[in-house]
Amino acid sequence: MPEPTSLTSRRGLLFGTAAVSAGAFLTGCTSNDPKDEKPAANSQPAADDKPGKPVTIGFAGPQADHGWLNAINDNAKSRAKKYADVTLEITEGSNDTAAQIGQIETLINKKVDVLVVLPADGKALTQVGLQAMRAGIPVVNLDRIFNSPQAYRCWIGGDNYGMGLNAGHYIGEKLKDKKNARVIELAGLDNLELTQQRTEGFDAALKNYPNIKKVARQAAEFTVESGQAKMAQLLQAQSKFDALWNHDDDQGVGALRAIKQAGRDDFLMVGGAGALSAFQAIEADNSVLKATVLYPPTMAASAIDLARALGQGKGVGGLAEFEIPASLTLYSAVVDKDNVQQYMATGFK
Amino acid sequence: MRALVARADVRTVSLLGVLAALIIIGGSTKPDEFLDTRNLQLVLTQASVIGVVTVGMTFVITSGGIDLSVGAIVALSSVWATTVATQEYGFAGILFTAVIVGVGCGLVNGVLIAYGGMVPFIATLAMLASARGLALQITDGKTQIVTVDGILKLGERDSYVLGIPPLVLVFAVVTVIGWLVLNRTTFGRRTVAVGGNAEAARLAGIDVRRQRLYLYLLSGLCCGIAAFLLIILSGSGQNTNGNLYELDAIAAAIIGGTLLSGGRGTITGAVLGVLIFTTITNIFALNNLQSDVQQIAKGAIIVAAVLVQRRTANTP
């Protein structure tokens, strides 16, 4: 790994040459990896492991007080470690808007090459995204989207609407032959916009199945404790229903507890996010949980890939583009017993 | 003295009235689901964890103090008790760890307040922050799932004793002991005396500092027990456990008629307060009303209950 001080002088020296030949030169100087002979920057795939120009990526995310967010941090860190040419500057996570703005400003002042930001609240952090872009630091906006496209160079994230949609379709197909089927929803934290989007998608999918009616919806707080409490109430309120969609696998741990405690097994449950415990339950096939809709935390690893490509001026492998895309939405695949093996390794604790 | 007893009775009766009104509302909106044995079991189970915390909180508030750290202590106790290392020791290991961590946090609170001369608000606020931080550090944001079978069984139907869930039994025992200690022992009288006038209590020969230390220890102990109940209930330990318990416990104690300024406390009232909150949540969920409405209603109930009390009890 080159020293930051020598990096700046080398940058000056190499000013005006193609980005990758600079990268190749630096690689030749600083690394034992095979020398990269490719001449043109844009012919390089972003996910290429071949070392290029050193890139310092600043990463700012919310407090990892929840399984999925913790998995986001892990994914970002382990992917950055894979690249010899990437230095990751990671800030302490915070759910406080002011604190997160301060952390991103610190990263801007440190003059990182690229910023990856998963804002606790996308709208509230738009200004600091703009500030970074104006300072010449491209921003990869991860998941919770900024208010203005000017505040980021690239957005990558999950599809909350699609998550609801796919959960709804999965349940719809399972119940399509059932007359007067009843479905209930255990939603996530209602303060978050993403919860509303998940519900909208779910409702939209159910419209395709006139035999199915959503009879109840309760919001929990993405925690095991709230999942248990709200699910226990829902089970009491609905003596008979056919399917349950639970927005989040972490609160699903609590929901499954409540279902076990109530001794119920007369319905099918679909989870959300893709926790390891959910995958294991699906594989074991000994509970009501039959499937989960992904909201993959691997998006953080992809964000590091994109940030590195941005820093090295590359495009994305396989796409006929010279630059990385402006936005990428991940697919919310449904994982059930048939394909759970394939996804097991991505399950987060 | 007789007037005081009468006042307390009026307060209890008005709380019972609120609870009765709620039961009528629940029974008329959802007769099948609400007036069902399983629902009664559910409401009492859900009241248990926060109920145990509230008993401890009532003692602290009666003495003129406050404990803002209860939710964080529940979180820390629950995650410490559910670490893989602790689970190796099974049921006893988890119970012991939960209680010891609770008592340990209470001890720190107590020493800071009684002997360090810190204001309870500040000392327990500091505990809130650091216990939550430590809980996050221990779990690394992950949910710690309990695999000890004996613990999981306790939350399930086959463990019910004469139809009463074990959690509810613990809650009942804690409540009865709390009531006896506050109303029938020297410790209870000292607690009220310290809360009424600490200087007068000191002159009357009460070791005010030691009394305060014991009270925060007691609150910590209740948090440890509550954490254990929560582990049984949710089958896991998570750093987000006990979220906002401090506010719920304070609200229940105050609704019950415990004076925030100290000198008067009622366990019966506090437990009725907890039951009122849990019943509201239950009725709202049964009627499929959303959480925003629930929160507004909760706020309104707090205001209404305190206003009614001021009217009926005619005390400031």
Side-chain angles (χ1 to χ4, degrees):
Chain A
M1 200 61 60
E3 297 295 321
T5 45
S6 65
L7 176 65
T8 39
S9 63
R10 275 177 191 151
R11 245 193 216 148
L13 186 74
L14 292 166
F15 180 77
T17 62
V20 160
S21 48
F25 173 72
L26 280 172
T27 310
C29 297
T30 57
S31 142
N32 292 326
D33 289 318
K35 201 176 170 189
D36 188 354
E37 298 290 351
K38 295 220 168 138
N42 296 321
S43 64
Q44 292 235 346
D48 194 337
D49 280 356
K50 284 175 195 142
K53 174 180 136 188
V55 177
T56 304
I57 300 172
F59 182 87
Q63 190 171 46
D65 55 3
H66 174 264
W68 186 83
L69 284 169
N70 189 60
I72 282 282
N73 282 351
D74 286 350
N75 267 286
K77 281 183 206 157
S78 62
R79 180 55 63 95
K81 237 176 245 153
K82 253 188 70 184
Y83 292 121
D85 49 7
V86 167
T87 309
L88 194 66
E89 286 266 2
I90 197 157
T91 62
E92 180 88 14
S94 173
N95 289 326
D96 175 43
T97 298
Q100 210 184 7
I101 289 173
Q103 285 160 352
I104 296 168
E105 280 172 345
T106 310
L107 290 173
I108 296 173
N109 290 340
K110 280 187 179 169
K111 294 191 168 54
V112 295
D113 299 318
V114 191
L115 260 174
V116 176
V117 180
L118 200 175
D121 180 340
K123 284 183 181 144
L125 286 202
T126 305
Q127 280 309 316
V128 76
L130 281 168
Q131 198 184 318
M133 291 290 280
R134 286 194 193 113
I137 301 173
V139 176
V140 176
N141 181 194
L142 183 54
D143 201 40
R144 297 178 192 170
I145 194 161
F146 289 147
N147 232 359
S148 156
Q150 292 188 58
Y152 57 88
R153 162 63 184 81
C154 171
W155 175 81
I156 175 166
D159 185 2
N160 285 298
Y161 184 87
M163 201 180 168
L165 201 65
N166 293 350
H169 276 298
Y170 183 84
I171 288 173
E173 287 303 310
K174 291 280 174 199
L175 300 179
K176 70 178 173 202
D177 299 324
K178 187 151 188 133
K179 266 189 198 150
N180 304 321
R182 295 155 66 89
V183 171
I184 64 174
E185 187 182 13
L186 182 63
L189 196 62
D190 257 340
N191 296 342
L192 299 174
E193 203 180 350
L194 61 91
T195 302
Q196 311 295 347
Q197 292 166 345
R198 288 177 190 184
T199 296
E200 278 168 29
F202 189 60
D203 292 346
L206 290 184
K207 282 214 177 83
N208 295 302
Y209 307 91
N211 61 319
I212 300 176
K213 196 177 160 213
K214 187 168 97 176
V215 290
R217 176 189 186 275
Q218 286 290 305
E221 289 155 18
F222 282 139
T223 67
V224 178
E225 187 187 352
S226 66
Q228 194 279 339
K230 296 290 182 175
M231 193 63 222
Q233 307 271 22
L234 268 174
L235 289 166
Q236 181 60 31
Q238 304 297 327
S239 52
K240 211 182 143 7
F241 60 93
D242 303 288
L244 153 74
W245 183 44
N246 161 49
H247 285 204
D248 178 73
D249 286 334
D250 245 19
Q251 72 183 23
V253 172
L256 281 168
R257 266 300 274 169
I259 293 164
K260 184 121 198 284
Q261 282 158 352
R264 294 275 292 269
D265 59 358
D266 49 336
F267 55 88
L268 102 108
M269 171 175 168
V270 175
L276 186 62
S277 65
F279 288 159
Q280 286 164 343
I282 292 166
E283 193 186 33
D285 197 17
N286 56 5
S287 71
V288 291
L289 186 64
K290 299 298 176 200
T292 188
V293 190
L294 291 190
Y295 198 78
T298 50
M299 66 175 71
S302 307
I304 297 294
D305 288 343
L306 290 168
R308 173 173 175 263
L310 258 178
Q312 298 178 341
K314 297 172 181 173
V316 170
L319 287 183
E321 304 285 343
F322 296 118
E323 300 280 356
I324 67 161
S327 88
L328 271 174
T329 309
L330 272 71
Y331 184 66
S332 296
V334 179
V335 176
D336 64 1
K337 201 167 190 304
D338 295 337
N339 61 357
V340 66
Q341 270 309 327
Q342 184 190 340
Y343 290 97
M344 195 60 90
T346 66
F348 58 85
K349 276 188 190 165
Chain B
M1 194 64 199
R2 184 174 294 169
L4 208 69
V5 172
R7 268 182 210 160
D9 281 348
V10 169
R11 209 169 285 120
T12 310
V13 168
S14 65
L15 285 171
L16 284 170
V18 174
L19 200 54
L22 285 172
I23 290 169
I24 292 168
I25 294 171
S28 53
T29 52
K30 287 273 166 187
D32 294 344
E33 289 85 5
F34 186 78
L35 303 169
D36 176 38
T37 321
R38 287 198 170 208
N39 198 45
L40 184 64
Q41 289 165 340
L42 174 64
V43 170
L44 291 174
T45 307
Q46 299 208 315
S48 299
V49 181
I50 186 71
V52 171
V53 173
T54 305
V55 170
M57 180 70 89
T58 305
F59 275 89
V60 170
I61 298 181
T62 303
S63 77
I66 195 90
D67 190 345
L68 299 179
S69 61
V70 288
I73 297 178
V74 168
L76 182 60
S77 301
S78 76
V79 301
W80 212 320
T82 53
T83 55
V84 178
T86 320
Q87 288 200 39
E88 275 180 19
Y89 296 98
F91 189 99
I94 291 185
L95 174 61
F96 180 75
T97 314
V99 171
I100 284 297
V101 172
V103 171
C105 293
L107 180 69
V108 174
N109 276 337
V111 169
L112 288 176
I113 292 160
Y115 298 98
M118 278 177 84
V119 183
F121 187 93
I122 302 298
T124 57
L125 189 65
M127 176 59 75
L128 182 160
S130 36
R132 280 251 175 249
L134 191 53
L136 183 56
Q137 197 173 51
I138 289 175
T139 56
D140 199 12
K142 295 180 173 88
T143 302
Q144 301 185 143
I145 296 176
V146 173
T147 50
V148 179
D149 202 40
I151 288 198
L152 297 176
K153 273 273 174 291
L154 275 183
E156 284 154 25
R157 207 154 277 279
D158 2 331
S159 310
Y160 288 12
V161 183
L162 302 172
I164 306 168
L167 264 68
V168 178
L169 282 177
V170 174
F171 175 33
V173 169
V174 170
T175 302
V176 170
I177 294 177
W179 188 89
L180 287 174
V181 171
L182 188 59
N183 298 300
R184 293 283 183 271
T185 65
T186 320
F187 184 87
R189 280 194 295 279
R190 284 182 182 155
T191 306
V192 176
V194 168
N197 186 336
E199 185 55 23
R202 194 185 63 81
L203 292 174
I206 297 174
D207 189 339
V208 174
R209 286 178 166 183
R210 199 170 62 195
Q211 186 67 19
R212 287 208 169 115
L213 173 69
Y214 287 159
L215 286 164
Y216 287 93
L217 266 179
L218 182 72
S219 177
L221 170 69
C222 287
C223 293
I225 297 171
F228 184 69
L229 297 186
L230 190 53
I231 291 169
I232 295 173
L233 194 61
S234 68
S236 64
Q238 206 183 22
N239 64 293
T240 48
N241 277 347
N243 189 26
L244 296 184
Y245 275 18
E246 53 280 3
L247 297 185
D248 285 347
I250 293 169
I254 301 304
I255 283 186
T258 298
L259 271 186
L260 193 53
S261 50
R264 189 180 74 205
T266 143
I267 299 289
T268 326
V271 169
L272 284 174
V274 170
L275 290 177
I276 287 171
F277 278 145
T278 322
T279 311
I280 295 170
T281 315
N282 182 254
I283 294 171
F284 277 65
L286 292 183
N287 286 287
N288 200 30
L289 290 164
Q290 300 306 314
S291 40
D292 45 357
V293 194
Q294 295 184 17
Q295 286 168 354
I296 297 167
K298 202 165 161 182
I301 293 265
I302 295 176
V303 173
V306 173
L307 284 180
V308 165
Q309 274 178 12
R310 288 186 64 160
R311 281 279 164 110
T312 53
N314 207 13
T315 45

Short mmCIF file of all heavy atoms in Angstrom, two decimals, chain A residues 289-333:
data_model
loop_
_atom_site.label_atom_id
_atom_site.label_comp_id
_atom_site.label_asym_id
_atom_site.label_seq_id
_atom_site.Cartn_x
_atom_site.Cartn_y
_atom_site.Cartn_z
N LEU A 289 -42.53 -20.71 8.76
CA LEU A 289 -41.72 -19.90 7.84
C LEU A 289 -41.32 -20.72 6.62
O LEU A 289 -40.55 -21.67 6.72
CB LEU A 289 -40.47 -19.37 8.56
CG LEU A 289 -39.63 -18.38 7.75
CD1 LEU A 289 -40.41 -17.11 7.45
CD2 LEU A 289 -38.34 -18.04 8.47
N LYS A 290 -41.85 -20.34 5.47
CA LYS A 290 -41.61 -21.12 4.26
C LYS A 290 -40.73 -20.37 3.26
O LYS A 290 -40.20 -20.99 2.33
CB LYS A 290 -42.94 -21.48 3.58
CG LYS A 290 -43.87 -22.33 4.45
CD LYS A 290 -43.27 -23.67 4.81
CE LYS A 290 -44.18 -24.44 5.76
NZ LYS A 290 -43.46 -25.50 6.48
N ALA A 291 -40.62 -19.08 3.39
CA ALA A 291 -39.83 -18.31 2.42
C ALA A 291 -39.45 -16.97 3.03
O ALA A 291 -40.04 -16.54 4.02
CB ALA A 291 -40.64 -18.09 1.14
N THR A 292 -38.42 -16.34 2.43
CA THR A 292 -38.12 -14.97 2.82
C THR A 292 -37.75 -14.19 1.56
O THR A 292 -37.21 -14.76 0.60
CB THR A 292 -37.02 -14.89 3.89
OG1 THR A 292 -36.91 -13.54 4.36
CG2 THR A 292 -35.66 -15.34 3.38
N VAL A 293 -38.10 -12.90 1.54
CA VAL A 293 -37.82 -12.06 0.38
C VAL A 293 -36.55 -11.29 0.67
O VAL A 293 -36.43 -10.64 1.71
CB VAL A 293 -38.97 -11.07 0.13
CG1 VAL A 293 -38.79 -10.39 -1.20
CG2 VAL A 293 -40.29 -11.78 0.18
N LEU A 294 -35.59 -11.36 -0.23
CA LEU A 294 -34.28 -10.78 0.05
C LEU A 294 -34.27 -9.25 0.00
O LEU A 294 -34.97 -8.63 -0.80
CB LEU A 294 -33.25 -11.28 -0.96
CG LEU A 294 -32.87 -12.74 -0.86
CD1 LEU A 294 -31.67 -13.00 -1.77
CD2 LEU A 294 -32.53 -13.13 0.57
N TYR A 295 -33.46 -8.73 0.88
CA TYR A 295 -33.07 -7.32 0.79
C TYR A 295 -31.58 -7.37 1.09
O TYR A 295 -31.17 -7.17 2.22
CB TYR A 295 -33.84 -6.48 1.81
CG TYR A 295 -33.82 -5.01 1.49
CD1 TYR A 295 -34.64 -4.49 0.51
CD2 TYR A 295 -32.95 -4.15 2.15
CE1 TYR A 295 -34.61 -3.16 0.20
CE2 TYR A 295 -32.93 -2.81 1.85
CZ TYR A 295 -33.75 -2.32 0.87
OH TYR A 295 -33.72 -0.97 0.57
N PRO A 296 -30.77 -7.73 0.09
CA PRO A 296 -29.43 -8.26 0.37
C PRO A 296 -28.46 -7.21 0.92
O PRO A 296 -28.27 -6.17 0.30
CB PRO A 296 -28.93 -8.75 -1.00
CG PRO A 296 -30.05 -8.55 -1.95
CD PRO A 296 -31.05 -7.64 -1.34
N PRO A 297 -27.83 -7.50 2.06
CA PRO A 297 -26.81 -6.60 2.59
C PRO A 297 -25.54 -6.62 1.74
O PRO A 297 -24.65 -5.80 1.95
CB PRO A 297 -26.55 -7.15 3.99
CG PRO A 297 -27.00 -8.55 3.96
CD PRO A 297 -28.07 -8.64 2.94
N THR A 298 -25.47 -7.57 0.78
CA THR A 298 -24.31 -7.60 -0.12
C THR A 298 -24.23 -6.34 -0.97
O THR A 298 -23.21 -6.08 -1.59
CB THR A 298 -24.41 -8.80 -1.07
OG1 THR A 298 -25.70 -8.79 -1.67
CG2 THR A 298 -24.24 -10.11 -0.32
N MET A 299 -25.30 -5.53 -0.95
CA MET A 299 -25.27 -4.27 -1.68
C MET A 299 -24.13 -3.39 -1.20
O MET A 299 -23.61 -2.56 -1.94
CB MET A 299 -26.61 -3.54 -1.57
CG MET A 299 -26.95 -3.08 -0.17
SD MET A 299 -28.47 -2.09 -0.08
CE MET A 299 -29.74 -3.28 -0.37
N ALA A 300 -23.70 -3.58 0.05
CA ALA A 300 -22.60 -2.78 0.58
C ALA A 300 -21.29 -3.17 -0.10
O ALA A 300 -20.45 -2.32 -0.41
CB ALA A 300 -22.49 -2.94 2.09
N ALA A 301 -21.12 -4.48 -0.36
CA ALA A 301 -19.93 -4.93 -1.08
C ALA A 301 -19.94 -4.37 -2.50
O ALA A 301 -18.93 -3.88 -3.00
CB ALA A 301 -19.89 -6.45 -1.10
N SER A 302 -21.13 -4.41 -3.13
CA SER A 302 -21.24 -3.86 -4.48
C SER A 302 -20.94 -2.37 -4.48
O SER A 302 -20.34 -1.85 -5.42
CB SER A 302 -22.64 -4.09 -5.04
OG SER A 302 -22.98 -5.45 -4.94
N ALA A 303 -21.35 -1.68 -3.42
CA ALA A 303 -21.09 -0.24 -3.33
C ALA A 303 -19.59 0.02 -3.28
O ALA A 303 -19.09 0.99 -3.86
CB ALA A 303 -21.78 0.35 -2.10
N ILE A 304 -18.85 -0.85 -2.58
CA ILE A 304 -17.39 -0.70 -2.54
C ILE A 304 -16.80 -0.93 -3.93
O ILE A 304 -15.93 -0.19 -4.39
CB ILE A 304 -16.77 -1.67 -1.51
CG1 ILE A 304 -17.27 -1.36 -0.08
CG2 ILE A 304 -15.24 -1.64 -1.56
CD1 ILE A 304 -16.84 -0.02 0.47
N ASP A 305 -17.32 -1.96 -4.64
CA ASP A 305 -16.88 -2.19 -6.02
C ASP A 305 -17.07 -0.95 -6.87
O ASP A 305 -16.19 -0.54 -7.62
CB ASP A 305 -17.72 -3.32 -6.66
CG ASP A 305 -17.40 -4.69 -6.09
OD1 ASP A 305 -16.33 -4.83 -5.47
OD2 ASP A 305 -18.22 -5.61 -6.27
N LEU A 306 -18.27 -0.37 -6.76
CA LEU A 306 -18.59 0.79 -7.58
C LEU A 306 -17.73 1.98 -7.20
O LEU A 306 -17.26 2.73 -8.06
CB LEU A 306 -20.07 1.15 -7.42
CG LEU A 306 -21.05 0.15 -8.04
CD1 LEU A 306 -22.48 0.43 -7.59
CD2 LEU A 306 -20.97 0.21 -9.57
N ALA A 307 -17.50 2.15 -5.90
CA ALA A 307 -16.69 3.27 -5.44
C ALA A 307 -15.25 3.12 -5.95
O ALA A 307 -14.62 4.08 -6.38
CB ALA A 307 -16.71 3.33 -3.91
N ARG A 308 -14.76 1.89 -5.93
CA ARG A 308 -13.40 1.65 -6.42
C ARG A 308 -13.34 1.94 -7.92
O ARG A 308 -12.41 2.60 -8.40
CB ARG A 308 -13.02 0.18 -6.16
CG ARG A 308 -11.71 -0.25 -6.76
CD ARG A 308 -11.37 -1.66 -6.30
NE ARG A 308 -10.16 -2.18 -6.95
CZ ARG A 308 -10.17 -2.96 -8.02
NH1 ARG A 308 -11.33 -3.31 -8.56
NH2 ARG A 308 -9.04 -3.40 -8.53
N ALA A 309 -14.36 1.47 -8.65
CA ALA A 309 -14.40 1.73 -10.09
C ALA A 309 -14.43 3.24 -10.37
O ALA A 309 -13.76 3.74 -11.27
CB ALA A 309 -15.60 1.05 -10.70
N LEU A 310 -15.23 3.95 -9.55
CA LEU A 310 -15.32 5.41 -9.70
C LEU A 310 -13.95 6.05 -9.48
O LEU A 310 -13.52 6.90 -10.26
CB LEU A 310 -16.28 5.97 -8.63
CG LEU A 310 -17.68 6.35 -9.04
CD1 LEU A 310 -18.46 6.82 -7.83
CD2 LEU A 310 -17.66 7.45 -10.11
N GLY A 311 -13.28 5.61 -8.43
CA GLY A 311 -11.99 6.18 -8.08
C GLY A 311 -10.95 5.89 -9.14
O GLY A 311 -10.01 6.66 -9.35
N GLN A 312 -11.13 4.77 -9.84
CA GLN A 312 -10.14 4.39 -10.85
C GLN A 312 -10.61 4.71 -12.25
O GLN A 312 -9.93 4.38 -13.23
CB GLN A 312 -9.85 2.89 -10.71
CG GLN A 312 -9.25 2.56 -9.35
CD GLN A 312 -8.98 1.08 -9.15
OE1 GLN A 312 -9.54 0.23 -9.85
NE2 GLN A 312 -8.13 0.76 -8.20
N GLY A 313 -11.78 5.33 -12.34
CA GLY A 313 -12.29 5.75 -13.64
C GLY A 313 -12.63 4.60 -14.57
O GLY A 313 -12.39 4.65 -15.76
N LYS A 314 -13.18 3.55 -14.02
CA LYS A 314 -13.54 2.39 -14.83
C LYS A 314 -15.05 2.29 -15.02
O LYS A 314 -15.82 2.93 -14.31
CB LYS A 314 -13.08 1.11 -14.12
CG LYS A 314 -11.61 0.98 -13.93
CD LYS A 314 -11.36 -0.23 -13.05
CE LYS A 314 -9.88 -0.42 -12.78
NZ LYS A 314 -9.68 -1.48 -11.80
N GLY A 315 -15.44 1.41 -15.92
CA GLY A 315 -16.85 1.09 -16.06
C GLY A 315 -17.16 -0.19 -15.29
O GLY A 315 -16.37 -0.63 -14.48
N VAL A 316 -18.32 -0.74 -15.57
CA VAL A 316 -18.68 -1.98 -14.89
C VAL A 316 -18.59 -3.15 -15.87
O VAL A 316 -19.06 -3.05 -17.01
CB VAL A 316 -20.11 -1.89 -14.31
CG1 VAL A 316 -20.58 -3.24 -13.81
CG2 VAL A 316 -20.14 -0.89 -13.19
N GLY A 317 -17.99 -4.22 -15.41
CA GLY A 317 -17.77 -5.37 -16.28
C GLY A 317 -19.04 -5.89 -16.90
O GLY A 317 -20.06 -6.02 -16.23
N GLY A 318 -19.00 -6.17 -18.18
CA GLY A 318 -20.14 -6.76 -18.84
C GLY A 318 -21.13 -5.74 -19.38
O GLY A 318 -21.94 -6.05 -20.22
N LEU A 319 -21.07 -4.52 -18.88
CA LEU A 319 -21.98 -3.49 -19.40
C LEU A 319 -21.24 -2.68 -20.46
O LEU A 319 -20.06 -2.38 -20.30
CB LEU A 319 -22.41 -2.56 -18.26
CG LEU A 319 -23.41 -3.10 -17.25
CD1 LEU A 319 -23.77 -2.01 -16.25
CD2 LEU A 319 -24.67 -3.59 -17.95
N ALA A 320 -21.95 -2.33 -21.53
CA ALA A 320 -21.32 -1.57 -22.59
C ALA A 320 -21.27 -0.10 -22.24
O ALA A 320 -21.84 0.75 -22.89
CB ALA A 320 -22.07 -1.80 -23.90
N GLU A 321 -20.64 0.19 -21.13
CA GLU A 321 -20.58 1.58 -20.65
C GLU A 321 -19.14 1.89 -20.31
O GLU A 321 -18.39 1.03 -19.88
CB GLU A 321 -21.42 1.73 -19.38
CG GLU A 321 -22.86 1.32 -19.50
CD GLU A 321 -23.70 2.32 -20.25
OE1 GLU A 321 -23.25 3.47 -20.39
OE2 GLU A 321 -24.79 1.96 -20.73
N PHE A 322 -18.78 3.15 -20.46
CA PHE A 322 -17.44 3.58 -20.08
C PHE A 322 -17.40 4.05 -18.63
O PHE A 322 -16.35 4.31 -18.06
CB PHE A 322 -16.94 4.68 -21.01
CG PHE A 322 -16.79 4.20 -22.42
CD1 PHE A 322 -17.53 4.75 -23.45
CD2 PHE A 322 -15.91 3.16 -22.70
CE1 PHE A 322 -17.39 4.28 -24.75
CE2 PHE A 322 -15.77 2.69 -24.00
CZ PHE A 322 -16.51 3.25 -25.03
N GLU A 323 -18.57 4.26 -18.07
CA GLU A 323 -18.68 4.75 -16.69
C GLU A 323 -19.55 3.78 -15.90
O GLU A 323 -20.28 3.00 -16.49
CB GLU A 323 -19.36 6.13 -16.69
CG GLU A 323 -18.64 7.20 -17.46
CD GLU A 323 -17.49 7.79 -16.69
OE1 GLU A 323 -17.32 7.39 -15.51
OE2 GLU A 323 -16.75 8.60 -17.24
N ILE A 324 -19.51 3.90 -14.60
CA ILE A 324 -20.44 3.09 -13.82
C ILE A 324 -21.84 3.69 -13.95
O ILE A 324 -21.99 4.88 -14.28
CB ILE A 324 -20.04 3.02 -12.32
CG1 ILE A 324 -20.17 4.38 -11.65
CG2 ILE A 324 -18.63 2.48 -12.17
CD1 ILE A 324 -20.23 4.27 -10.14
N PRO A 325 -22.89 2.91 -13.78
CA PRO A 325 -24.26 3.43 -13.94
C PRO A 325 -24.60 4.51 -12.91
O PRO A 325 -23.91 4.64 -11.90
CB PRO A 325 -25.15 2.21 -13.73
CG PRO A 325 -24.25 1.04 -13.73
CD PRO A 325 -22.89 1.50 -13.37
N ALA A 326 -25.68 5.25 -13.16
CA ALA A 326 -26.12 6.27 -12.22
C ALA A 326 -26.94 5.65 -11.10
O ALA A 326 -27.00 6.17 -9.99
CB ALA A 326 -26.95 7.33 -12.94
N SER A 327 -27.58 4.52 -11.41
CA SER A 327 -28.32 3.87 -10.32
C SER A 327 -28.47 2.38 -10.58
O SER A 327 -28.51 1.93 -11.73
CB SER A 327 -29.68 4.53 -10.10
OG SER A 327 -30.65 3.95 -10.91
N LEU A 328 -28.50 1.64 -9.49
CA LEU A 328 -28.62 0.19 -9.55
C LEU A 328 -29.58 -0.25 -8.48
O LEU A 328 -29.38 0.06 -7.30
CB LEU A 328 -27.27 -0.45 -9.24
CG LEU A 328 -26.28 -0.72 -10.36
CD1 LEU A 328 -24.97 -1.22 -9.77
CD2 LEU A 328 -26.83 -1.75 -11.34
N THR A 329 -30.64 -0.97 -8.87
CA THR A 329 -31.58 -1.47 -7.89
C THR A 329 -31.45 -2.98 -7.79
O THR A 329 -31.52 -3.67 -8.81
CB THR A 329 -33.03 -1.13 -8.30
OG1 THR A 329 -33.08 0.26 -8.61
CG2 THR A 329 -33.99 -1.45 -7.19
N LEU A 330 -31.25 -3.48 -6.59
CA LEU A 330 -31.09 -4.92 -6.41
C LEU A 330 -32.43 -5.62 -6.52
O LEU A 330 -33.47 -5.04 -6.22
CB LEU A 330 -30.46 -5.22 -5.05
CG LEU A 330 -28.94 -5.22 -5.06
CD1 LEU A 330 -28.42 -3.81 -5.22
CD2 LEU A 330 -28.41 -5.83 -3.79
N TYR A 331 -32.38 -6.86 -6.92
CA TYR A 331 -33.61 -7.63 -7.05
C TYR A 331 -33.95 -8.32 -5.73
O TYR A 331 -33.08 -8.88 -5.08
CB TYR A 331 -33.46 -8.68 -8.16
CG TYR A 331 -34.73 -9.44 -8.41
CD1 TYR A 331 -35.85 -8.78 -8.91
CD2 TYR A 331 -34.83 -10.79 -8.12
CE1 TYR A 331 -37.02 -9.46 -9.13
CE2 TYR A 331 -36.01 -11.48 -8.33
CZ TYR A 331 -37.11 -10.81 -8.83
OH TYR A 331 -38.28 -11.48 -9.03
N SER A 332 -35.21 -8.24 -5.36
CA SER A 332 -35.66 -8.88 -4.12
C SER A 332 -36.12 -10.30 -4.40
O SER A 332 -37.32 -10.56 -4.50
CB SER A 332 -36.80 -8.07 -3.50
OG SER A 332 -36.33 -6.82 -3.12
N ALA A 333 -35.17 -11.19 -4.53
CA ALA A 333 -35.52 -12.58 -4.86
C ALA A 333 -36.24 -13.24 -3.70
O ALA A 333 -36.03 -12.90 -2.54
CB ALA A 333 -34.25 -13.35 -5.19
#
